[in-house]
Amino acid sequence: MTSLLDPLQLGDVLLRNRVVMAPSAGIRPAQGRVPSDALRAYYAQRAAAGLIVTEAASVSPLGVGYPDMPGIWNSAQVQGWRRVTEAVHARGGRIFLRLWHAGRVSDPEFLSGEMPVAPSAIPCRKACASSLIDAAGYVVPRSLHPDEIRRIVADFDQAARYARLAEFDGVEIHAGDGYLIDQFLHDGSNCRQDEYGGSVGNRSRFLLDIIDTCIGVWSAGRIGVHLSPRGDRHDMRDSDPVSLYRHVARELGKRRLAFICVREYPGADALTPVIRQAFSGALILNEGYDLGLAQQAVETHEGDAVAFGRAFVSNPDLVQRLADGVALRPCAEAVPAA
């Protein structure tokens, strides 16, 4: 019988257990979007997780969507993140950096007066519950030119290189929760008529271009992707989500990525089974799982590991509590993790 405490080969990385720390920004970095000493201590406390996935680090100054969240576009940020990875590794932990671009889920206030960008000039009309911007306050984004799209792909390439310099164990590409890559995937936010819009294959091109460039930096077995197929954050809609996510999962499987992390609470409308069937790598489940449901999910092979967000904020000793059969402390309300 598989247990949450059993080791897991996640692509090229061996995890000592199947308990993943999901991104949850309980601590904010210091000035300049550089990870702080407080962030370093925060992750070191939770290094017993099989894998830590950090909160999202923007790949460029124009990719941010919240105040004071970290970046990964300059040497000072690399040095700050290296202090984090050193602290986690010193305790035997594994840590991946989440790479991210907010797209239209931003504001000129965060972008030095520049307009947010998106696949199409369609504003976000529904805020995430934890968003710092009311839905009525989102501006109409500027549609990206194909050359700009390719430059953003290059930003992910550079960010992946910086992540290696910061001595992470791998990277997770944030392709969910209504941010830029997700905006390209869904036909409710992508009305382009070029090679990045229209068909499912074209709408997936931006994500797959990013994956392919990151494979040129890391091995595929050190790259994961975050998806949120229910589209329940930041006004995501698609006319055929089953076809969309089946295609995405198959393409990611062809590339032999380490994992897909699916943020989707269990339910009759869940697409996790579709992704599970189409993807040949490891599947990490996230959202709505307590320890009992998580254990059941790995026993039945619904997923290979389970990620906990808010539970880890309140329980830095979550893995030890699981091993000892001790109840978790009540979950704290976490700030937006992206």
Side-chain angles (χ1 to χ4, degrees):
M1 182 177 70
T2 305
S3 165
L4 283 170
L5 297 176
D6 288 342
L8 173 65
Q9 188 68 45
L10 196 74
D12 295 344
V13 181
L14 178 63
L15 308 186
R16 54 186 170 182
N17 59 64
R18 296 165 185 253
V19 180
V20 176
M21 179 181 172
S24 184
I27 300 291
R28 290 303 197 191
Q31 293 181 350
R33 299 189 181 273
V34 176
S36 65
D37 288 341
L39 194 69
R40 175 179 179 270
Y42 178 75
Y43 284 125
Q45 280 185 313
R46 294 156 175 82
L51 175 66
I52 293 172
V53 181
T54 71
E55 72 264 53
S58 177
V59 299
S60 76
L62 295 180
V64 302
Y66 300 95
D68 300 325
M69 287 189 70
I72 186 67
W73 66 77
N74 63 41
S75 58
Q77 292 161 348
V78 171
Q79 292 170 9
W81 280 120
R82 187 182 293 121
R83 289 192 291 271
V84 172
T85 61
E86 287 173 349
V88 171
H89 290 154
R91 298 192 178 190
R94 299 287 197 174
I95 183 168
F96 276 39
L97 182 65
R98 171 179 276 192
L99 302 182
W100 171 71
H101 192 300
R104 71 181 187 178
V105 186
S106 188
D107 189 86
E109 176 185 352
F110 304 139
L111 307 175
S112 301
E114 296 285 336
M115 294 299 291
V117 296
S120 303
I122 301 172
C124 177
R125 296 185 177 89
K126 181 180 179 183
C128 172
S130 59
S131 177
L132 301 179
I133 302 174
D134 184 87
Y138 283 111
V139 299
V140 178
R142 180 174 62 79
S143 178
L144 285 161
H145 186 275
D147 288 342
E148 294 178 300
I149 295 172
R150 288 185 278 271
R151 281 198 292 272
I152 293 175
V153 173
D155 288 337
F156 274 89
D157 176 87
Q158 183 61 69
R161 294 175 190 277
Y162 279 147
R164 287 202 67 172
L165 288 175
E167 300 180 5
F168 280 93
D169 296 295
V171 294
E172 182 195 70
I173 306 304
H174 196 348
D177 297 346
Y179 298 115
L180 184 62
I181 298 174
D182 211 14
Q183 293 158 28
F184 271 88
L185 291 176
H186 287 81
D187 58 19
S189 50
N190 182 350
C191 298
R192 300 180 71 93
Q193 299 298 315
D194 61 7
E195 67 268 36
Y196 294 99
S199 68
V200 166
N202 281 356
R203 285 183 276 123
S204 304
R205 188 183 307 276
F206 180 50
L207 167 60
L208 298 177
D209 284 352
I210 289 169
I211 295 299
D212 290 341
T213 195
C214 288
I215 289 173
V217 178
W218 295 85
S219 67
R222 291 182 181 267
I223 299 172
V225 172
H226 176 85
L227 299 174
S228 51
R230 195 170 265 116
D232 53 358
R233 290 185 180 175
H234 297 123
D235 201 21
M236 287 291 96
R237 301 181 306 279
D238 194 82
S239 60
D240 188 358
V242 173
S243 295
L244 171 62
Y245 284 98
R246 182 181 289 120
H247 175 81
V248 169
R250 283 176 176 166
E251 289 299 318
L252 297 179
K254 289 177 184 177
R255 288 160 172 81
R256 300 185 179 277
L257 295 197
F259 69 88
I260 293 175
C261 181
V262 183
R263 185 192 64 75
E264 181 181 59
Y265 58 83
D269 61 340
L271 295 182
T272 298
V274 173
I275 294 171
R276 181 62 158 171
Q277 184 178 32
F279 180 63
S280 55
L283 194 67
I284 300 175
L285 308 175
N286 176 228
E287 191 175 60
Y289 288 86
D290 59 20
L291 293 181
L293 285 175
Q295 178 59 46
Q296 180 181 336
V298 298
E299 285 179 8
T300 59
H301 304 290
E302 177 187 348
D304 300 289
V306 179
F308 300 88
R310 289 187 300 163
F312 254 119
V313 175
S314 300
N315 298 270
D317 57 346
L318 187 151
V319 175
Q320 190 62 50
R321 285 173 173 266
L322 173 61
D324 294 341
V326 176
L328 300 183
R329 300 183 189 92
C331 295
E333 288 297 325
V335 290

